[in-house]
Amino acid sequence: MRIPDIAFFDTFIKYDRLREKDLERYTKELASGKKILTPSDSTIDNIRSLRFKKLKNDIETYNRNIDLVKTNLDVAESTLGNIVEAGKETRVDIINLMNYGVLDYEDARIFRDYLQSMRDYIINQANISVGDSRLFGGVKSQVNPFDSRGIYQGEFVDTTVPVAPGVELNTTFIGKDYLGTIPSGVWVDTDTDNTVDPNEINHKIGMVKAIDDIIQIIDSGNLNRLHSYISDLGYNNPTDPIVGAGESEH
Amino acid sequence: MNISYGSLNISVNYNDTMTLNDLVDAINTAPANNGNVEAFVFQDRDGVSSFRTFR
């Protein structure tokens, strides 16, 4: 069989091109100092690289969340510390009052105003916000979680962000649980299912409730009532029948 | 209805229509009481009335 010259020529050209390609690649490798020049040079390594990129993004997100959570936890901790300190200070003064027992009108007014400012301070602290979010409102909200009576009006769920795989930390807190609230006010069975549902009870900051009661007793003028025993039931009105009024919690 | 405060026993006539005010009056005017126990209606700042006693 005769092989025409042209066929030889084509073969030479073909191999020449391949060598040229190789040459070009080696030149690029030498110039860049890298062996892998395009993703297709190493598919497995390329996939690994993409995984690393995703991991890096995840870690950056976690870092941002950790910064956010740390700020919020710091503020929450110092706020609760402030409230505890205010409570301790007020407690000492209340014990002094109970031991002392008798106050003239002016002293009673001064002490009453002091208690009023302390309970207002506690409520203000409980309404602390970081940025535009109230810390103790349960979810991100610009509405005060505690009203001027110290009663919780926030949500009953809290917000968390992931700080590591499977680990979530709070950015906002359920004020009802963190501020030591007690049921206060009359239970109204709004959905008439004869069951005490969480949203049917007023949750009042315990310390504020105690201070409010003392203020009310000072206002009544009978300081000896500070030593009274409290009953278990609360009513809307003193003329309500004791039995069957459908009212409890106070 | 008998209410005990330590050694003190106070009898109060009780029926279903008795109100918080009635109970307070009954305790304060009971013959056995003699002013040892004072009951009062306490209305807190949120407008809730409750029954309290002290001696």
Side-chain angles (χ1 to χ4, degrees), chain A residues 116 149 185 204 209 212-213 215-217 225 228-231 233-235 238-243 250, chain B residues 14 16-21 23 38-55:
Chain A
Q116 178 71 32
R149 297 173 298 164
K204 183 162 177 154
K209 165 74 176 160
D212 273 357
D213 282 2
I215 290 174
Q216 197 76 339
I217 287 172
R225 289 182 172 178
S228 61
Y229 294 91
I230 191 166
S231 66
L233 295 172
Y235 300 87
T239 56
D240 283 348
I242 290 169
V243 174
H250 66 104
Chain B
Y14 173 83
D16 284 352
T17 58
M18 188 177 222
T19 68
L20 210 54
N21 277 339
L23 180 64
E38 187 183 332
F40 64 98
V41 172
F42 177 78
Q43 191 161 40
D44 75 9
R45 293 184 98 188
D46 302 326
V48 179
S49 298
S50 60
F51 169 69
R52 290 189 181 199
T53 56
F54 68 96
R55 60 184 308 190

Side-chain angles (χ1 to χ4, degrees), chain A residues 93-126:
Chain A
D93 293 320
I94 291 168
I95 290 172
N96 279 340
L97 170 76
M98 293 183 86
N99 288 335
Y100 192 51
V102 184
L103 289 177
D104 62 30
Y105 178 77
E106 195 181 344
D107 286 351
R109 297 305 302 175
I110 291 168
F111 190 68
R112 181 206 180 281
D113 288 347
Y114 165 74
L115 289 180
Q116 178 71 32
S117 67
M118 290 311 265
R119 55 89 72 190
D120 289 345
Y121 173 75
I122 290 170
I123 294 172
N124 279 340
Q125 286 292 307

Side-chain angles (χ1 to χ4, degrees), chain B residues 23-44:
Chain B
L23 180 64
V24 167
D25 287 344
I27 290 173
N28 288 339
T29 57
N33 189 341
N34 278 332
N36 285 318
V37 170
E38 187 183 332
F40 64 98
V41 172
F42 177 78
Q43 191 161 40
D44 75 9

Side-chain angles (χ1 to χ4, degrees), chain A residues 177-218:
Chain A
D177 298 334
Y178 285 83
L179 268 295
T181 57
I182 55 169
S184 180
V186 172
W187 167 50
V188 181
D189 194 9
T190 47
D191 57 2
T192 60
D193 64 352
N194 212 24
T195 308
V196 183
D197 301 316
N199 60 348
E200 290 171 354
I201 299 176
N202 288 328
H203 300 278
K204 183 162 177 154
I205 301 174
M207 275 198 275
V208 174
K209 165 74 176 160
I211 295 172
D212 273 357
D213 282 2
I214 294 167
I215 290 174
Q216 197 76 339
I217 287 172
I218 291 174

